[in-house]
Amino acid sequence: MMNKINPKGLLRWIAFVSFLGAGTFIAKAQTITIPIETKQNAMVLQVTPEKYLETVYFGNKLSDKNEYSAIAGSYRYNLTTSDYNSAYTTSGSLNLLEPAISVTHADGNKSLDLKYVNHTITKLTDDISLVSINLKDSVYDFEVTLNYQTYFNENVTEQWSVIQHHEKHDVVLNKYASANLYLRAGSYWLKHFHGDWAKEMRPEEEQLTHGIKTLDTKLGSRADLFQPPVFMVSLNEQSTEDEGEVLCGNLEWSSNYRIDLEVDPSNNLRLIAGINNYASDYVLKPGIEFTTPKFVYTLSDKGKGEASRNLQTWARKYKIVDGEGPRLTLLNNWESTFFDFNEDRLAGILKDTKTLGVDLFLLDDGWFGNKYPRNDDHAGLGDWEVNKAKLPDGIAFLTKTAQADGVKFGIWVEPEMVNPKSELYEKHPDWIVKQPQRPEYYMRNQLVLDLTNPKVQEFVFGIVDNLLTKNPDLAYIKWDCNSIMYNANSAYEGHQSNFYTDYVFALYKILDRLRAKYPKMPMMLCSGGGGRVDYGALKYFTEYWPSDNTDPVERIFIQWEYSYFYPALASSNQVTNWGKEPLKFRTDVAMMGKLGFDIVVGKLTPDELTFCQQAVKTYKQFSEAIWHGDQYRLQNPRENDVASIMYVDTLKSTGIMFNYLVNNRYGVGSNLPIRLKGLEPDKMYAISEINLFPGTKSSIPDGTYTGRFLITVGVNPDVKDGRTSVLIGIEEKK
Ligand code: DGJ
């Protein structure tokens, strides 16, 4: 016979024997079962007789709650070694698996064994509930509270941990995950993303095999440059847009993260998500609570489409700033002027903003620095005084001119960074992240400021606060972050290994302060493109910049993948001169999110200008569906010659369908009708092509159809060479 020793089983047996020896009678211990439910799903946790907290189920919920306690027996999770289904895997004692938490106690001991103490369930609103479960070590005064905040109607859960100890001295957290999930399926398919500058969100999907696959980043500030903290896991088979079980997750952390996915020997999936412990052993003082970032996820049994709509709805309602509010269309000057502008040129662009019909002009990089003027990206970063040569009358002149033109005014900042060629660098060398004994190393000629230093926090807060206080008419901020963190080291932080983590806490502290003072100010989260997009940061922003790559064909792919995690109103899109596609194509693609332009309006032909003006109006007409409606992906650009996507408002009365030719081969186009989704089968809808370029006629007839027809048969947008981008308006006929 094989030697099968489960250390916990052995303990259970010992406990049972000693209990009998005591000669006392206790009725069979009652199993504590904790179901954590949303409208669709349940995660079921159970406390073993030895008080270990285990995950016994995660899937469709049951109608009879009493049946949850029978799940564990059906699945038989117990393995010969450790507890693979621990709800928060410890290390150094009985568990010998990849841990969720690993510590070094004040006395140097490295063992942790957490047992269930109690739990509370709090209904925070009709929709939101919080389950908090307290776990404690029996030897050391060390505890963890696991939190599960559910958003019932959205089928979304946010999970995080609060770690605390009362040992005599500091404890070191060697790993401190937010969540430790356990899923059961026949096979697991991981969809994850990689990229680089201008190459964001390139997907890969593969079957997970036994062992650990880790998604992570170690880049610090512009952390997601190569890999963002988002992923999907399909259960049993690769889920499609509308079929299959799929988990969609995002770690709400704007820096180094680590997500371990381990298929265990029983074919279950252990998933551990949290801050990356790389170079980040966290020194925790007694009595201080360490709150991990939240890991947000949704589970759908109707494919990736529904999962993404769950997250999008949740984000609009609960996470993104003013997610249920409107967005400002804008004209940006980055690509039309770069650093080369002055008051006259900007006054002209302000007039163009009005002519175009958008709401706001966004002044980008290059408006500051005097001793070291910001005339290119080598100098001036950190010196946030208006450049007197370019803008002698200051920002106030620009906001006033904008007001006179009837448009709003916004401005770019990059407050976390500094050029070595700057007064800030000269004055405060100790404010900069660098290794004292090593040469400086730059990305885009700049370094990162040490936000852990309270003086730097004050400075960074002040950059935005001063702008807004001195210019109360400022209506928009673009917050950029262009460098990753080389030579991570702080002149301020007592424990260097706390630095990566404390940097992000400090960033959030600054943003918390700004949001307390300016709760609804529209702010764009930018990081040299999409180098920092996650819900930890988006909690403070109204939108994000997906990529510097605005080639519309590329953008179809990039925006498509982002949309699995983020709602369209948060995607800042701009019409630029990137790519070879006509202006209409570029504009149509930008309309699939938050519309903006970065072009020289004066160079547009009269027809092009008329088209853009009309497009802004059309966009506003359909913005309710795009911003706050439901998004349905109809044809994937990676699998079809024609990509198609639609949005329909929550009343299911107004919709818009976007169609693009994404293949240049001879004769390709939309040969078959494309089936619409999300409409009411029994309603009547008028269909017509919209956003036509002046002088062109639609090749598809207007018509009125039942929702059932449009869902079952569909619409052929007649996309082909010469009609490479086609928008269709859908209006309910009453
Ligand atoms: C990088 C951003 O992604 C661009 O949009 C632009 O703002 C530049 N930085 C300015 O330096």
Side-chain angles (χ1 to χ4, degrees):
M1 210 183 117
M2 277 177 62
N3 186 14
K4 285 191 178 183
I5 300 173
N6 177 342
K8 281 194 182 164
L10 190 64
L11 265 190
R12 278 167 209 177
W13 187 77
I14 293 167
F16 179 65
V17 170
S18 49
F19 157 74
L20 281 183
T24 332
F25 175 81
I26 297 179
K28 192 178 162 219
Q30 217 192 329
T31 315
I32 300 171
T33 303
I34 311 169
I36 299 163
E37 291 186 332
T38 62
K39 196 174 189 172
Q40 196 77 45
N41 303 314
M43 175 179 286
V44 182
L45 307 177
Q46 212 160 63
V47 182
T48 68
E50 299 79 21
K51 301 276 181 220
Y52 290 110
L53 183 71
E54 298 182 336
T55 308
V56 294
Y57 179 74
F58 185 30
N60 273 334
K61 74 180 189 189
L62 305 179
S63 47
D64 180 357
K65 279 195 187 194
N66 293 321
E67 286 190 329
Y68 285 131
S69 57
I71 290 177
S74 324
Y75 278 136
R76 288 187 192 82
Y77 283 127
N78 290 340
L79 295 169
T80 44
T81 52
S82 310
D83 259 357
Y84 280 73
N85 61 338
S86 168
Y88 201 63
T89 312
T90 53
S91 65
S93 181
L94 301 184
N95 270 312
L96 306 175
L97 304 164
E98 181 58 42
I101 184 162
S102 178
V103 305
T104 308
H105 293 288
D107 64 2
N109 186 283
K110 292 189 71 76
S111 71
L112 188 65
D113 193 42
L114 294 172
K115 293 196 177 186
Y116 170 88
V117 179
N118 56 30
H119 74 279
T120 55
I121 302 172
T122 320
K123 202 161 164 51
L124 301 172
T125 69
D126 274 355
D127 195 29
I128 310 175
S129 300
L130 175 66
V131 178
S132 298
I133 307 170
N134 190 236
L135 309 174
K136 270 196 174 133
D137 190 278
S138 48
V139 176
Y140 289 91
D141 197 348
F142 188 100
E143 64 185 282
V144 176
T145 304
L146 304 182
N147 295 288
Y148 302 77
Q149 183 153 304
T150 50
Y151 300 83
F152 189 84
N153 291 310
E154 295 72 25
N155 287 307
V156 166
T157 304
E158 285 188 296
Q159 209 177 309
W160 72 98
S161 314
V162 178
I163 304 167
Q164 198 186 167
H165 73 89
H166 294 280
E167 298 186 21
K168 289 213 170 70
H169 306 287
D170 297 349
V171 165
V172 179
L173 308 180
N174 305 110
K175 194 175 180 193
Y176 34 106
S178 301
N180 185 171
L181 270 55
Y182 198 64
L183 295 115
R184 178 155 185 90
S187 59
Y188 308 91
W189 301 81
L190 173 68
K191 182 169 177 182
H192 56 108
F193 304 84
H194 66 276
D196 199 342
W197 178 77
K199 293 179 187 157
E200 287 86 347
M201 293 301 276
R202 301 205 162 172
E204 261 168 351
E205 190 157 7
E206 77 237 4
Q207 183 169 5
L208 288 171
T209 54
H210 294 87
I212 301 180
K213 163 95 183 175
T214 299
L215 307 175
D216 85 328
T217 173
K218 302 179 179 76
L219 301 182
S221 35
R222 188 180 171 178
D224 309 338
L225 185 62
F226 302 142
Q227 185 160 254
V230 291
F231 67 95
M232 287 182 240
V233 179
S234 298
L235 307 179
N236 298 311
E237 57 188 347
Q238 247 171 310
S239 62
T240 62
E241 193 60 29
D242 299 305
E243 281 170 359
E245 261 188 286
V246 60
L247 174 93
C248 201
N250 183 329
L251 187 77
E252 300 180 32
W253 186 244
S254 312
S255 185
N256 300 352
Y257 68 86
R258 170 171 172 173
I259 298 166
D260 296 310
L261 300 116
E262 178 179 17
V263 180
D264 74 17
S266 286
N267 277 337
N268 301 310
L269 180 68
R270 305 179 65 237
L271 196 163
I272 298 171
I275 293 175
N276 199 337
N277 56 342
Y278 158 75
S280 293
D281 285 335
Y282 198 89
V283 182
L284 185 64
K285 292 194 185 321
I288 302 288
E289 285 188 346
F290 181 93
T291 303
T292 70
K294 292 171 175 166
F295 173 59
V296 61
Y297 54 89
T298 182
L299 181 72
S300 166
D301 63 356
K302 290 185 196 62
K304 293 174 177 132
E306 185 184 81
S308 69
R309 284 186 291 281
N310 288 348
L311 277 186
Q312 291 175 358
T313 312
W314 165 81
R316 281 193 304 259
K317 247 175 136 170
Y318 297 113
K319 191 57 63 168
I320 291 176
V321 176
D322 204 15
E324 294 184 303
R327 291 296 183 268
L328 296 166
T329 54
L330 59 81
L331 176 65
N332 184 200
N333 71 315
W334 175 237
E335 293 188 6
S336 59
T337 68
F338 290 107
F339 298 93
D340 183 16
F341 55 80
N342 56 28
E343 255 174 28
D344 284 350
R345 203 164 172 198
L346 293 184
I349 300 179
L350 280 165
K351 293 235 167 336
D352 292 342
T353 310
K354 179 72 182 164
T355 309
L356 201 56
V358 291
D359 303 312
L360 175 131
F361 169 64
L362 167 61
L363 174 60
D364 216 286
D365 195 355
W367 57 267
F368 49 87
N370 285 300
K371 181 173 175 192
Y372 301 104
R374 180 78 171 165
N375 290 331
D376 57 42
D377 61 20
H378 287 81
L381 204 55
D383 301 346
W384 298 99
E385 307 85 35
V386 178
N387 178 282
K388 293 201 179 88
K390 286 181 188 173
L391 305 172
D393 300 308
I395 302 294
F397 167 80
L398 297 170
T399 55
K400 268 193 204 118
T401 313
Q403 221 170 21
D405 288 323
V407 294
K408 293 178 193 284
F409 185 85
I411 203 159
W412 175 98
V413 290
E414 192 179 1
E416 296 157 80
M417 303 282 161
V418 58
N419 281 133
K421 230 173 154 186
S422 69
E423 290 181 75
L424 180 68
Y425 180 94
E426 290 171 349
K427 276 189 213 142
H428 298 291
D430 56 324
W431 283 14
I432 294 165
V433 176
K434 55 182 181 178
Q435 293 287 354
Q437 291 161 313
R438 296 185 191 279
E440 289 174 6
Y441 190 79
Y442 311 120
M443 180 173 195
R444 209 194 186 208
N445 317 302
Q446 64 194 54
L447 292 160
V448 182
L449 290 177
D450 178 5
L451 298 191
T452 63
N453 184 334
K455 287 188 186 146
V456 180
Q457 292 169 21
E458 199 57 41
F459 171 77
V460 171
F461 171 80
I463 295 166
V464 179
D465 187 43
N466 289 340
L467 274 169
L468 294 172
T469 324
K470 287 189 193 144
N471 308 284
D473 293 328
L474 260 182
Y476 188 93
I477 301 285
K478 174 176 177 181
W479 183 303
D480 208 345
C481 165
N482 282 290
S483 178
I484 62 174
M485 217 183 254
Y486 292 107
N487 286 320
N489 183 76
S490 159
Y492 176 83
E493 179 90 60
H495 301 285
Q496 291 307 324
S497 60
N498 284 19
F499 173 66
Y500 277 124
T501 304
D502 281 348
Y503 178 89
V504 188
F505 286 142
L507 173 66
Y508 292 163
K509 203 167 143 193
I510 296 164
L511 290 165
D512 270 325
R513 236 179 117 189
L514 282 172
R515 276 302 171 202
K517 195 160 174 191
Y518 308 101
K520 279 203 173 181
M521 167 67 60
M523 291 216 296
M524 184 207 287
L525 169 66
C526 174
S527 184
R532 182 159 73 180
V533 188
D534 66 88
Y535 279 121
L538 275 171
K539 179 181 164 195
Y540 302 101
F541 291 84
T542 45
E543 54 221 67
Y544 67 93
W545 181 236
S547 176
D548 279 349
N549 187 342
T550 47
D551 176 323
V553 176
E554 291 292 327
R555 271 294 184 126
I556 291 169
F557 290 81
I558 293 174
Q559 290 170 202
W560 181 279
E561 300 301 340
Y562 271 116
S563 79
Y564 283 110
F565 305 94
Y566 307 105
L569 93 164
S571 174
S572 297
N573 302 336
Q574 292 185 2
V575 180
T576 70
N577 288 324
W578 280 57
K580 303 184 190 86
E581 307 308 317
L583 180 68
K584 171 174 159 51
F585 193 115
R586 287 180 270 142
T587 310
D588 288 351
V589 173
M591 284 168 71
M592 291 196 292
K594 208 214 76 157
L595 176 65
F597 293 81
D598 190 352
I599 48 170
V600 181
V601 175
K603 284 193 181 162
L604 296 174
T605 64
D607 274 352
E608 286 176 335
L609 179 60
T610 307
F611 168 74
C612 289
Q613 290 165 329
Q614 195 50 49
V616 173
K617 288 188 185 136
T618 306
Y619 176 72
K620 292 199 169 160
Q621 197 187 327
F622 287 91
S623 59
E624 186 51 33
I626 299 168
W627 293 343
H628 308 124
D630 289 318
Q631 182 195 49
Y632 293 90
R633 293 174 208 84
L634 308 178
Q635 285 196 174
N636 189 327
R638 287 194 163 75
E639 293 160 9
N640 298 278
D641 297 332
V642 174
S644 185
I645 199 160
M646 70 174 279
Y647 303 78
V648 59
D649 66 0
T650 47
L651 299 172
K652 297 189 181 297
S653 67
T654 301
I656 180 165
M657 179 196 191
F658 296 86
N659 308 278
Y660 308 99
L661 192 64
V662 287
N663 186 342
N664 276 333
R665 296 204 56 198
Y666 177 75
V668 292
S670 57
N671 297 325
L672 294 170
I674 297 170
R675 289 180 180 151
L676 306 195
K677 295 179 192 170
L679 300 177
E680 200 63 67
D682 295 326
K683 283 187 176 176
M684 297 299 294
Y685 293 98
I687 298 295
S688 61
E689 183 169 353
I690 54 170
N691 225 31
L692 287 158
F693 196 78
T696 58
K697 284 213 170 81
S698 176
S699 61
I700 51 172
D702 293 356
T704 301
Y705 306 88
T706 58
R708 187 165 283 104
F709 178 91
L710 296 170
I711 292 164
T712 315
V713 178
V715 177
N716 190 332
D718 195 26
V719 170
K720 58 189 178 193
D721 191 21
R723 276 176 60 82
T724 52
S725 131
V726 175
L727 263 54
I728 292 181
I730 305 153
E731 290 285 0
E732 183 188 351
K733 275 274 200 201
K734 291 203 175 141

